[in-house]
Amino acid sequence: MSTTSLAAGLPVPDQSARLRDALLAADFTADGLLELLGAPAYSALARSETVPALRATRGASPLETLVRLFLLQRPVAPERAREALPLDVALADGWVAESADGIRATVDIRPYGGPEGQDWYIVSDLGCAVGGAGGASGRDEGVVLGVGGASTTLAGITVRTPVSSALDLGTGSGIQALHATQHATRVTATDLNPRALAFTRLTLALSGAPEADLREGSLFAPVGSETFDLIVSNPPFVISPGARLTYRDGGMGGDDLCRSLVQQAGDRLNEGGFAQFLANWQHVEGEEWQERVRSWVPRGCDAWIVQREVQDVTQYAELWLRDSGDHRTAPDAYAARYAEWLDEFEARGTRAVGFGWITLRKTDSDRPSVVVEEWPHPVEQPLGEAVRAHFARQDYLRTHDDAALLADHFVLVDEVVQEQVGMPGAEDPEHVVLRQSRGMRRATKVDTVGAGFAGVCDGTLSAGRILDAIAQLVGEDPVLLRDRTPEAIRLLVQEGFLEPAAPRG
């Protein structure tokens, strides 16, 4: 697709390397911003509060100039711009423009730290980068957003093993495509909005990343029957009455867009490939939400679905009415728009909306593993390796019956601690909790046998021999203990507290 067709009215990336060199020379990076602004002002920017950052950039250094120009969207004097930038290039290529009050940015440029310390830049519409001068409220439907909590969440949970092909569906400003260029030989990025593809091209160019294959269209239409090793998507999943805003409203009723995306992904995955999405789903009267999303999983795929948050319909409507700036309209207009949302939910029997992660892996197994759970607790990003390990554990459990489980050797995963809960001074604890301090940070209650078993697992003895020794210590029949314990071992393996030991020798 040509630069002209993609980038009408936007900068061209032809000389982006010179602009990138200037940004790096001025230390206009994620680390440089934190050092210049300090933690309070830096955090305030994430809340779209610019006053602390304005106070911190009253000097004349190139870095202060660039922060005011591209993050705070304030005009700067031409002489200051020339000290910070190759100004002639930036003007000619459209990154900045001359105005009556000085040089102004035409796009938002946000420094973004890559997973291995790369200095990247996310390019988006003015005022639409988190840490920029404002939010998306009141913007027109074609607006292209920058970095946000959803996009960084998806980047963090994505499995980062090397692959031949990756697809970023609904690329927006190109954050997921940028990450994918680091471990995929070929990256394809699609979007219904042609401006989004133009911004993706700018993001990749200014970050010094390889180009992607950019294609315009909805859902999987731009890629036809092509298949990929990795598919990622932060789709326009908001459940709303109508489709006013391309960046958030999918144009389908209810949660049909997310359902369609998940159901169609199976046919676009290569064997062993992953598809990872952020999604919303309805909680409907008379229906378990777990069964609703479980029904979306395509045949031939394992799935791990995690609900991270639930909002009742009033909270959900208010959140997205603020996002679109409707709360700033006349009271009667706001009330009418609010009523439209509630009417939509009432017609669908929707009482709440869930938000979370959906990961598919193509296996073609006749015994697919589909795990649907609610986990609203804090986690430690990045989680890509934890996601990969989850599916590896499902493979292991699927191929090991109870006898094989008892014959195998296990080790307690690093960073798991044991907590004993009970009254002070009591001889025995009321219960024992195993807790992970990394990854999903799960906690699970175990009995005395479970705690003893986990504590002894260092790969030396088989599970069966450990249970025999425990039975002797507690005076229990070892046959009965072997019969009732495999289910508990499976749970500890499934949730990542135990892992099979490496083959001995």
Side-chain angles (χ1 to χ4, degrees), residues 375 378-383 386 412-419 433-444 495-497:
W375 190 254
V379 298
E380 183 186 55
Q381 288 274 34
L383 279 170
L412 188 66
V413 173
D414 291 340
E415 310 296 339
V416 173
V417 297
Q418 176 179 303
E419 300 174 358
V433 174
L434 299 181
R435 187 179 301 278
Q436 302 167 351
S437 58
R438 307 293 298 272
M440 291 293 287
R441 293 180 174 172
R442 296 186 186 277
T444 189
E495 295 194 341
F497 292 93

Coordinates of all heavy atoms in Angstrom, one line a residue, residues 375 378-383 386 412-419 433-444 495-497:
W375 N -9.7 -14.1 37.7 CA -8.5 -13.7 38.5 C -8.3 -12.2 38.5 O -7.6 -11.6 37.7 CB -7.3 -14.4 38.0 CG -6.1 -14.3 38.9 CD1 -5.0 -13.5 38.7 CD2 -5.9 -15.0 40.1 NE1 -4.1 -13.6 39.7 CE2 -4.6 -14.5 40.6 CE3 -6.6 -15.9 40.8 CZ2 -4.1 -15.0 41.9 CZ3 -6.1 -16.3 42.0 CH2 -4.9 -15.9 42.5
P378 N -3.7 -8.8 41.6 CA -2.5 -8.3 40.9 C -1.6 -9.5 40.3 O -1.5 -10.6 40.9 CB -1.7 -7.6 42.1 CG -2.7 -7.3 43.1 CD -3.7 -8.4 43.0
V379 N -1.0 -9.2 39.2 CA -0.1 -10.1 38.5 C 1.2 -9.4 38.2 O 1.3 -8.1 38.4 CB -0.7 -10.7 37.2 CG1 -2.0 -11.5 37.5 CG2 -1.0 -9.6 36.2
E380 N 2.2 -10.1 37.9 CA 3.5 -9.5 37.5 C 3.7 -9.6 36.0 O 3.9 -10.7 35.5 CB 4.6 -10.2 38.3 CG 6.0 -9.5 38.0 CD 7.1 -10.2 38.7 OE1 7.3 -11.4 38.4 OE2 7.9 -9.6 39.4
Q381 N 3.7 -8.5 35.3 CA 4.0 -8.5 33.9 C 5.5 -8.4 33.7 O 6.2 -7.8 34.5 CB 3.3 -7.3 33.2 CG 1.8 -7.5 33.1 CD 1.4 -8.3 31.8 OE1 2.2 -9.1 31.4 NE2 0.3 -7.9 31.2
P382 N 6.1 -8.9 32.6 CA 5.4 -9.6 31.5 C 5.0 -11.0 31.8 O 5.7 -11.7 32.6 CB 6.4 -9.5 30.3 CG 7.7 -9.5 31.0 CD 7.5 -8.8 32.3
L383 N 3.9 -11.5 31.2 CA 3.4 -12.8 31.5 C 3.5 -13.8 30.3 O 2.9 -14.9 30.4 CB 1.9 -12.7 31.9 CG 1.6 -12.3 33.4 CD1 0.1 -12.0 33.6 CD2 2.0 -13.5 34.3
A386 N 4.7 -17.1 31.3 CA 3.8 -17.8 32.1 C 2.6 -18.4 31.3 O 2.1 -19.5 31.5 CB 3.2 -16.9 33.2
L412 N 9.4 -28.1 43.2 CA 8.7 -26.9 43.6 C 9.2 -25.7 42.8 O 10.4 -25.5 42.8 CB 8.8 -26.7 45.1 CG 7.9 -25.6 45.7 CD1 6.4 -26.0 45.6 CD2 8.3 -25.4 47.2
V413 N 8.3 -25.0 42.2 CA 8.7 -23.8 41.4 C 9.4 -22.8 42.2 O 9.0 -22.6 43.4 CB 7.5 -23.3 40.6 CG1 7.9 -22.0 39.9 CG2 7.0 -24.3 39.6
D414 N 10.4 -22.1 41.7 CA 11.1 -21.0 42.4 C 10.0 -19.9 42.8 O 9.0 -19.8 42.1 CB 12.2 -20.4 41.5 CG 13.3 -21.4 41.4 OD1 13.5 -22.3 42.2 OD2 14.1 -21.2 40.4
E415 N 10.3 -19.2 43.8 CA 9.5 -18.1 44.3 C 8.1 -18.5 44.8 O 7.2 -17.7 44.9 CB 9.3 -17.1 43.1 CG 10.5 -16.6 42.4 CD 11.5 -15.9 43.2 OE1 11.1 -15.3 44.3 OE2 12.7 -15.8 42.9
V416 N 8.0 -19.8 45.2 CA 6.8 -20.2 45.9 C 7.1 -20.3 47.4 O 8.1 -20.8 47.8 CB 6.3 -21.6 45.5 CG1 5.2 -22.1 46.3 CG2 5.8 -21.5 44.0
V417 N 6.3 -19.7 48.2 CA 6.5 -19.6 49.7 C 5.3 -20.3 50.3 O 4.2 -20.4 49.8 CB 6.7 -18.2 50.2 CG1 7.9 -17.6 49.6 CG2 5.5 -17.3 49.9
Q418 N 5.5 -20.8 51.6 CA 4.5 -21.4 52.3 C 4.1 -20.5 53.5 O 5.0 -20.0 54.2 CB 5.0 -22.8 52.9 CG 4.0 -23.5 53.8 CD 4.5 -24.8 54.3 OE1 4.8 -25.7 53.5 NE2 4.5 -25.0 55.6
E419 N 2.8 -20.3 53.7 CA 2.3 -19.5 54.8 C 1.4 -20.4 55.7 O 0.6 -21.2 55.1 CB 1.5 -18.3 54.3 CG 2.2 -17.4 53.4 CD 1.3 -16.3 52.8 OE1 0.1 -16.4 53.0 OE2 1.8 -15.4 52.1
V433 N -1.1 -22.3 53.2 CA -1.2 -21.7 51.9 C 0.1 -21.7 51.2 O 1.1 -21.3 51.7 CB -1.8 -20.2 52.0 CG1 -1.8 -19.5 50.7 CG2 -3.2 -20.2 52.7
L434 N 0.1 -22.1 49.9 CA 1.2 -21.9 49.0 C 1.0 -20.7 48.2 O -0.1 -20.6 47.6 CB 1.4 -23.2 48.1 CG 1.7 -24.5 48.8 CD1 1.9 -25.6 47.8 CD2 2.9 -24.4 49.7
R435 N 2.0 -19.8 48.1 CA 1.8 -18.6 47.4 C 2.9 -18.3 46.4 O 4.1 -18.5 46.8 CB 1.7 -17.4 48.4 CG 1.3 -16.1 47.8 CD 1.2 -15.0 48.8 NE 0.2 -15.3 49.8 CZ -1.1 -15.1 49.7 NH1 -1.6 -14.6 48.6 NH2 -2.0 -15.4 50.7
Q436 N 2.6 -17.9 45.2 CA 3.6 -17.5 44.2 C 3.9 -16.0 44.3 O 2.9 -15.2 44.4 CB 3.0 -17.8 42.8 CG 2.7 -19.3 42.5 CD 1.9 -19.4 41.2 OE1 1.5 -18.5 40.6 NE2 1.6 -20.7 40.8
S437 N 5.1 -15.7 44.2 CA 5.5 -14.2 44.3 C 5.8 -13.7 42.9 O 6.1 -12.5 42.8 CB 6.7 -14.0 45.2 OG 7.8 -14.8 44.8
R438 N 5.7 -14.5 41.9 CA 5.9 -14.0 40.5 C 4.7 -14.5 39.6 O 3.9 -15.2 40.0 CB 7.2 -14.7 40.0 CG 8.4 -14.5 40.8 CD 8.9 -13.1 40.9 NE 9.3 -12.5 39.6 CZ 10.5 -12.6 39.1 NH1 11.4 -13.3 39.8 NH2 10.8 -12.1 38.0
G439 N 4.7 -13.9 38.4 CA 3.8 -14.4 37.4 C 2.3 -14.1 37.8 O 2.0 -12.9 38.2
M440 N 1.5 -15.1 37.8 CA 0.1 -14.9 38.2 C -0.1 -14.6 39.7 O -1.2 -14.2 40.1 CB -0.7 -16.1 37.8 CG -0.9 -16.3 36.3 SD -1.9 -15.0 35.5 CE -3.5 -15.4 36.0
R441 N 0.9 -14.9 40.5 CA 0.8 -14.7 41.9 C -0.4 -15.4 42.5 O -1.1 -14.9 43.3 CB 0.8 -13.2 42.2 CG 2.1 -12.5 41.9 CD 2.0 -11.0 42.2 NE 3.3 -10.4 42.0 CZ 3.5 -9.0 42.0 NH1 2.5 -8.2 42.3 NH2 4.7 -8.5 41.8
R442 N -0.5 -16.7 42.2 CA -1.6 -17.4 42.7 C -1.3 -17.8 44.2 O -0.2 -17.9 44.6 CB -1.8 -18.7 41.9 CG -2.2 -18.5 40.5 CD -2.5 -19.8 39.8 NE -2.8 -19.7 38.4 CZ -4.0 -19.4 37.9 NH1 -5.0 -19.1 38.7 NH2 -4.2 -19.3 36.6
A443 N -2.4 -18.2 44.9 CA -2.3 -18.8 46.2 C -3.3 -19.9 46.3 O -4.4 -19.8 45.7 CB -2.6 -17.7 47.3
T444 N -2.9 -21.0 46.9 CA -3.8 -22.1 47.0 C -3.7 -22.8 48.4 O -2.6 -22.8 49.0 CB -3.5 -23.2 45.9 OG1 -4.5 -24.2 45.9 CG2 -2.1 -23.9 46.1
E495 N -1.7 -25.2 38.2 CA -1.6 -23.8 38.6 C -0.2 -23.3 38.7 O 0.0 -22.2 39.1 CB -2.4 -23.6 39.9 CG -3.9 -23.8 39.8 CD -4.7 -23.3 41.0 OE1 -4.1 -23.1 42.0 OE2 -5.9 -23.1 40.8
G496 N 0.8 -24.2 38.4 CA 2.1 -23.7 38.3 C 2.9 -23.7 39.6 O 4.0 -23.0 39.7
F497 N 2.5 -24.5 40.6 CA 3.3 -24.6 41.8 C 4.3 -25.7 41.7 O 5.4 -25.5 42.3 CB 2.3 -24.9 43.0 CG 1.4 -23.7 43.4 CD1 0.2 -23.6 42.9 CD2 1.9 -22.7 44.2 CE1 -0.7 -22.6 43.2 CE2 1.1 -21.7 44.6 CZ -0.2 -21.6 44.0

